[in-house]
Amino acid sequence: MPAGRPGPAAQSARRPPRPLSSLWSPLLLCVLGVPRGGSGAHTAVISPQDPTLLIGSSLQATCSIHGDTPGATAEGLYWTLNGRRLPSELSHLLNTSTLALALANLNGSRQQSGDNLVCHAQDGSILAGSCLYVGLPPEKPFNISCWSRNMKDLTCRWTPGTRGETFLHTNYSLKYKLRWYGQDNTCEEYHTVGPHSCHIPKDLALFTPYEIWVEATNRLGSARSDVLTLDVLDVVTTDPPPDVHVSRVGGLEDQLSVRWVSPPALKDFLFQAKYQIRYRVEDSVDWKVVDDVSNQTSCRLAGLKPGTVYFVQVRCNPFGIYGSKKAGIWSEWSHPTAASTPRSERPGPGGGVCEPRGGEPSSGPVRRELKQFLGWLKKHAYCSNLSFRLYDQWRAWMQKSHKTRNQHRTRGSCPRADGARREVLPDKL
Amino acid sequence: MSQREGSLEDPQADSPVSFLPHLEAKIRQTHNLARLLTKYAEQLLEEYVQQQGDPFGLPGFSPPRLSLAGLSGPSPSHMGLPLSERLRQDAAALDALPGLLDAVRRRQAELNPSSPRLLRNLEDAARQARALGVAVETVLAALGSAARGPGPEPAATTALSTANNAAGIFSAKVLGLHVCGLYGEWVNRTEGDLSQLVPGDVA
């Protein structure tokens, strides 16, 4: 809006003035108008009453006295806005009973209940008041995102607009309807996950798309977001995996075993669930994330520092639920669970990866050691059923005995090479 | 007039009446409630003026003094009345206040919808005023005094609601300020009147 002209909503400024005294019911009239100080029994009315204006616009207002005392005059009256006296050059006498005010380039309202424009008598007493609402119309809300917890509800949040503050109370209403039929529904539980959010707790259909949008309204206008179309099944999240346990792997100083349970709410449906693990050293803020744990409920962290406390968390993504093709939404992380690796005099390896049971070691020094071990086995024994467990046992034995890697001992069901002397490793590692 | 009523009328003349223990406990409880609500009323007023914006919270702010038919503040002559009459007036005012506070809350829900604390405080004040009023009436009944004289006209609340909705917003803010002020004045007055009944606290 160009400066100097009131906005369209200032039509309210043209409402006929209502004397303050006529606003009260007859029951109250008889007890009003107690004179204060030397002001006499004056009443006054400000026009316009409670106008709504765009930021930067101007306002012409008047304070008209309706006095019973002969000689009541607007001489000496003055204005305040939010308690601050306005410069006298902004006002002038229109006639003997009316003081006019001209405000230009208005700023946004200081409080949502409106700026208080007050007309005062010469002695400072209040004759009349009017509340100004100065702001901006709402912008189009955007960036709507929704998620469903265990397919039971739907929570959505949005961004109100790039401009930010409207200086007016702006009401946001989340609407939704089934795409192919049904009536518009209005979400009722607001501010559940922030100021611009709403929660639909029940009665949601699956396997059929919803249309969702947000309507923003204030005194200066309204705006509507684009429509988001989604199927509840495509935006499912779940609870963090419960019962996360972290424990040592025997005496292995660089490994910890992590076990958890499928989130119970969806445990019968999580055929393709993905899990993620993150862990950090106790006094660090840097998390390391293990991806692609896939659909299993245990994992082993390797390459850890010996004698160190680790915090571990797990989260779940129920993707593919009921055949959904969408990526799914990760749950919150589980509560941190702590455990420590065994202490050793020798410094252990620094990094860490998750090694699924029965799988190949991922990388780094573990792989190199395993290669050496396997190479040694091939040379000294005929083992058709080499197992990772066997490797673990060997490593533990290595650490315990403080010997070099090229030891000539082994254990297990592997058949011995001819002439080789068999020695048994201890059961407990 | 019974000895009890006689001492209620003039508690300072003779030694305190030996009330039944449960009545003593009730009086203490009601007095403590009034003292607590006096503090809450101050907080309500602070919250209210803050949400209306300046000049409502500024020192020296004195809008036109409005009286609501059927309920005004304690009169200057209140302290000169017999204690039973004072308590009756306290009870009557506390009976009228919940409706007025509700009307203010409804208006403030339109003016300050994003101020949940103010709205909650107004709702709590209505409930608390009702509770204190009932407690004072119970004490009066136990003391053998009629609980209520000519009560406030129910139309006062209706009139407030009508006026509130029809009035300009500034006037509605001023009305609400007065109701919050009345609430504070009456709970404070009730606390003072009850203190004269509390055993051991008689001046």
Side-chain angles (χ1 to χ4, degrees), chain B residues 28 40 43 60 64 113 132-134 151 162 168 180 182 185 187 190:
Chain B
R28 278 192 202 281
Y40 287 168
Q43 291 170 6
L132 182 60
V134 167
T162 304
C180 292
L182 280 174
E185 287 177 45
V187 293
T190 303

Side-chain angles (χ1 to χ4, degrees), chain A residues 14-330:
Chain A
R14 302 191 194 101
R15 279 183 296 182
R18 290 179 293 176
L20 188 64
S21 59
S22 70
L23 296 174
W24 312 116
S25 76
L27 194 60
L28 302 177
L29 267 178
C30 59
V31 293
L32 285 179
V34 176
R36 293 195 54 79
S39 63
H42 297 316
T43 57
V45 61
I46 292 178
S47 177
Q49 272 289 301
D50 312 329
T52 303
L53 302 150
L54 278 171
I55 287 179
S57 59
S58 301
L59 172 69
Q60 312 281 340
T62 57
C63 177
S64 301
I65 288 185
H66 298 270
D68 295 335
T69 306
T73 173
E75 191 87 34
L77 301 190
Y78 66 91
W79 297 92
T80 61
L81 181 61
N82 290 328
R84 295 187 67 177
R85 186 163 179 163
L86 295 175
S88 56
E89 54 265 27
L90 296 179
S91 52
H92 63 280
L93 282 172
L94 272 185
N95 51 53
T96 57
S97 62
T98 304
L99 181 70
L101 173 70
L103 294 175
N105 197 24
L106 290 166
N107 292 325
S109 284
R110 193 188 291 185
Q111 54 267 342
Q112 62 174 321
S113 60
D115 296 321
N116 298 307
L117 178 67
V118 180
C119 177
H120 296 260
Q122 194 169 16
D123 65 354
S125 59
I126 293 173
L127 296 177
S130 175
C131 289
L132 312 183
Y133 292 86
V134 186
L136 298 166
E139 277 193 306
K140 177 177 163 181
F142 68 102
N143 198 23
I144 303 176
S145 64
C146 303
W147 61 94
S148 171
R149 196 176 188 91
N150 301 321
M151 301 180 290
K152 285 183 168 39
D153 61 6
L154 192 68
T155 302
C156 298
R157 59 180 168 204
W158 60 91
T159 305
T162 55
R163 195 165 46 203
E165 178 74 69
T166 59
F167 299 95
L168 300 171
H169 171 70
T170 301
N171 187 56
Y172 292 90
S173 182
L174 182 87
K175 302 283 185 77
Y176 61 101
K177 68 180 284 291
L178 287 166
R179 186 176 193 180
W180 309 119
Y181 55 92
Q183 60 188 12
D184 291 2
N185 300 290
T186 303
C187 182
E188 295 179 357
E189 295 179 17
Y190 288 87
H191 318 304
T192 49
V193 286
H196 301 292
S197 63
C198 199
H199 176 239
I200 305 166
K202 58 182 180 178
D203 298 334
L204 289 165
L206 305 178
F207 303 104
T208 182
Y210 276 93
E211 292 184 338
I212 299 171
W213 67 99
V214 176
E215 295 176 358
T217 308
N218 69 19
R219 285 170 172 260
L220 281 172
S222 59
R224 175 175 156 151
S225 71
D226 292 335
V227 174
L228 171 69
T229 302
L230 60 79
D231 187 328
V232 171
L233 282 179
D234 292 336
V235 293
V236 177
T237 186
T238 187
D239 309 304
D243 301 331
V244 176
H245 292 285
V246 184
S247 56
R248 294 178 175 182
V249 182
L252 295 178
E253 62 184 18
D254 66 333
Q255 295 187 22
L256 287 173
S257 172
V258 185
R259 288 185 174 82
W260 60 91
V261 177
S262 292
L266 296 180
K267 67 180 176 57
D268 294 332
F269 309 105
L270 293 179
F271 305 118
Q272 302 179 63
K274 294 188 295 188
Y275 293 94
Q276 237 181 23
I277 299 173
R278 70 176 186 180
Y279 63 96
R280 64 173 174 84
V281 175
E282 180 182 21
D283 53 0
S284 168
V285 296
D286 298 324
W287 292 95
K288 292 186 180 175
V289 178
V290 179
D291 263 317
D292 297 327
V293 182
S294 81
N295 193 21
Q296 53 187 335
T297 55
S298 64
C299 190
R300 186 184 296 186
L301 303 177
L304 306 179
K305 294 179 186 174
T308 303
V309 174
Y310 284 87
F311 287 99
V312 180
Q313 291 177 295
V314 185
R315 65 178 181 176
C316 175
N317 183 333
F319 91 105
I321 195 159
Y322 278 139
S324 169
K325 300 287 189 293
K326 294 296 176 69
I329 299 177
W330 288 102

Side-chain angles (χ1 to χ4, degrees), chain A residues 364-385:
Chain A
V366 173
R367 179 177 285 278
R368 284 196 296 275
E369 286 180 2
L370 182 61
K371 278 186 178 176
Q372 290 173 6
F373 172 59
L374 293 175
W376 181 87
L377 275 180
K378 284 179 182 176
K379 185 176 177 183
H380 296 280
Y382 298 105
C383 295
S384 60
N385 190 25

